Amino acid sequence: MSKSRHMQSRMSHRGINDELVHLTMQFGVEVGDKTVLSEKQLKSLIAELDQIRMKAVKAIDKGGIVVVACPVKGTLITTYGLDSFRKH
């Protein structure tokens, strides 16, 4: 999405960079013509990211995770750690 000159000027004056605008557009809530990302929403997002990080660390401990699925029905068949077939 393109930015107006006014937007670029205000971003510069207020210390808001493109990444913060993208974060707001991605996780904020639309209220009329605005998208709002409140402090409460940000704290909730950080808590969710912390949970995802903990799960990712657990997956790293297993060397990665493999999930096998039936391509026709979409049924999940089995799962295993990526390192399970490596000789130690």
Side-chain angles (χ1 to χ4, degrees):
M1 188 177 291
S2 63
K3 295 186 289 286
S4 68
R5 262 188 260 148
H6 177 81
M7 169 94 170
Q8 292 172 352
S9 175
R10 293 298 169 255
M11 285 173 63
S12 176
H13 293 166
R14 296 172 178 155
I16 299 173
N17 60 25
D18 286 331
E19 289 83 14
L20 292 177
V21 171
H22 180 72
L23 184 75
T24 302
M25 299 303 292
Q26 187 173 4
F27 295 104
V29 176
E30 289 186 26
V31 180
D33 61 349
K34 303 173 189 174
T35 303
V36 178
L37 186 57
S38 69
E39 183 177 348
K40 183 177 179 180
Q41 291 167 306
L42 286 164
K43 287 179 180 179
S44 176
L45 175 61
I46 289 170
E48 188 176 335
L49 290 171
D50 288 342
Q51 290 295 316
I52 292 170
R53 184 183 185 286
M54 286 174 37
K55 292 173 189 173
V57 168
K58 193 178 266 189
I60 286 173
D61 291 344
K62 298 188 179 302
I65 303 291
V66 177
V67 176
V68 180
C70 174
V72 176
K73 293 184 180 180
T75 305
L76 301 179
I77 298 169
T78 190
T79 185
Y80 53 91
L82 193 57
D83 277 349
S84 66
F85 291 116
R86 291 190 187 165
K87 295 180 182 178
H88 296 294

